[in-house]
Amino acid sequence: MRSEHLSRREGGRRLRCLHSEAEPGFTAIQLLLRDNSCPPFPSGSVSRVETSLLYALFTRSYVRDARLNFCCLYAEFHGGKSVGEEKVFHSPTAEQVTMSRKKAMKGKVSSKSPKGSPSSGRDGGRTGKGLAAAAAPSSGLVYPSRPSLSNSGEFYDIAFKVMLVGDSGVGKTCLLVRFKDGAFLAGSFISTVGIDFRNKVMSIDAVKVKLQIWDTAGQERFRSVTHAYYRDANALLLLYDVSNKASFDNIRAWLTEIHEYAQQDVVVMLLGNKADSTHNRVVRREEGEKLAKEFGVPFMETSAKSGLNVELAFTAVAKELKHRTMKEPDEPKFELKEYLNESSGLHGYLTCHFLFCADVKKVFVHRHYRNAAG
Ligand SMILES: Nc1nc2c(ncn2[C@@H]2O[C@H](COP(=O)(O)OP(=O)(O)OP(=O)(O)O)[C@@H](O)[C@H]2O)c(=O)[nH]1
């Protein structure tokens, strides 16, 4: 039997996490705010996955929104209940979880640290890479009959779910933050816990396309959590780090995993991130191109630090998804090549419009091209 009692003061709040394992499968966690407004979970009601996420939340100082994540976890696995002050939704969608968080951020728990919520990414000091939402995977595409309002207050016509995957430390969170906020998160590296998402509405050919971008934890121990989210993804951005050979070598395993868990027609793009790391580079661009060509996936080198190709990667994915979905019979075919030719700063080999074919267990490339600069 193992039992741990942790307590700490953080942001003026008293938090206590009680983690005990009397027997496999049994865990009780208690997370108390100073006003004791968040009641403990009933013993035995928390699964081991939930426990590991929540426990990681606590022990890694992701406490600012710990109570809310707690509620979200509870809502997902136990049908939705009101916990403490937080009203959580029945079987919450990803949107609802974010709304729930935003409400909480306005409340007393998070008002002291409005930028510190997991859903808003890390704060400037990188003290809270608390990406540990546990919303039920939402359906992939959203086809509103009229423009819908995203939780950021922007209208959109169509929505897609994009996932960032790859080894831990390759720069997934930084890439997302660069795209969403135009900033680079420098400083000490804090691994993502679990999974979270952020939305960005882009204007693609006068259509408002909302990308719901899910940032996954690269660490092996969270793999079972992230697998559940693959099946609804419309696109996957698979990252490796050009200064980390192992992350490149693991791409084959990632593609196998994607093949196993994702939809057959999922858009996959391979990104060699940290292209700015010229001195530490161990994976040449040509190697990335070759691997991408072998698997028939688009490839680019990116840098969350400099911003190289970050906007382009997401825009290309949004355009591909939008054209696949909304192409009119008389509308000219979307040519990724032309689009990219017009874009500057492109490095690498690109293919587009490919399918994972479950029948023959291989990738079909419908068309591809090599960038003139490559
Ligand atoms: N030089 C350079 N460093 C980067 C870049 N992108 C990320 N980093 C750094 O790499 C480290 C890891 O970045 P993260 O975005 O946290 O990595 P991650 O893939 O989200 O890692 P997990 O959450 O564990 O899956 C951080 O120290 C970043 O500052 C980049 O483009 N260039």
Side-chain angles (χ1 to χ4, degrees), residues 90-161:
H90 181 77
S91 299
T93 62
E95 289 275 347
Q96 287 172 330
V97 171
T98 295
M99 284 166 62
S100 167
R101 285 185 184 163
K102 288 200 169 182
K103 279 180 193 166
M105 285 171 68
K106 289 177 190 159
K108 105 179 149 179
V109 171
S110 301
S111 60
K112 292 169 191 161
S113 53
K115 287 186 177 175
S117 88
S119 64
S120 65
R122 288 164 284 191
D123 54 11
R126 286 180 65 90
T127 55
K129 188 179 179 181
L131 302 177
S138 61
S139 62
L141 292 172
V142 180
Y143 298 99
S145 53
R146 58 191 168 80
S148 298
L149 190 62
S150 80
N151 49 35
S152 62
E154 282 184 271
F155 284 97
Y156 63 91
D157 302 302
I158 188 164
F160 299 102
K161 179 175 167 181

Side-chain angles (χ1 to χ4, degrees), residues 167 240 244-254 283 291:
D167 276 10
Y240 68 88
N244 179 342
K245 185 71 163 58
S247 73
F248 179 70
D249 293 339
N250 287 336
I251 288 297
R252 287 173 191 277
W254 278 106
V283 183
L291 186 67

Side-chain angles (χ1 to χ4, degrees), residues 6 112 296 320:
L6 302 170
K112 292 169 191 161
E320 176 70 18

Side-chain angles (χ1 to χ4, degrees), residues 122 126 129 131 166-175 184-193 215-219 239 241 273-277 302-307:
R122 288 164 284 191
R126 286 180 65 90
K129 188 179 179 181
L131 302 177
D167 276 10
S168 178
V170 297
K172 298 181 294 296
T173 303
C174 287
L175 197 84
F184 176 60
L185 292 170
S188 56
F189 166 45
I190 301 173
S191 264
T192 300
V193 175
D215 180 20
T216 63
Q219 287 181 11
L239 277 75
D241 173 355
N273 192 40
K274 306 194 189 180
D276 60 277
S277 305
T302 56
S303 168
K305 188 173 184 179
S306 71

Side-chain angles (χ1 to χ4, degrees), residues 4-57:
E4 292 177 52
H5 300 260
L6 302 170
S7 71
R8 71 157 60 112
R9 294 184 68 82
E10 177 119 356
R13 287 173 285 143
R14 178 171 63 82
L15 294 139
R16 188 175 61 160
C17 183
L18 188 148
H19 177 96
S20 66
E21 292 179 40
E23 59 188 50
F26 172 85
T27 307
I29 298 177
Q30 205 171 24
L31 179 66
L32 299 173
L33 302 185
R34 188 162 50 189
D35 60 3
N36 287 348
S37 60
C38 191
F41 274 73
S43 294
S45 68
V46 187
S47 75
R48 295 182 75 80
V49 172
E50 292 169 284
T51 302
S52 61
L53 275 173
L54 187 63
Y55 192 62
L57 258 180

Side-chain angles (χ1 to χ4, degrees), residues 21-22 28-29 67 73 75 102 104 117 136 142 213 220 223-224 256 270 272 289 320 332 336 341:
E21 292 179 40
I29 298 177
R67 186 175 64 147
L73 287 166
K102 288 200 169 182
S117 88
V142 180
I213 307 160
E220 183 76 37
R223 219 46 73 75
S224 59
T256 305
L270 179 65
E289 291 173 357
E320 176 70 18
L336 187 57
N341 275 343

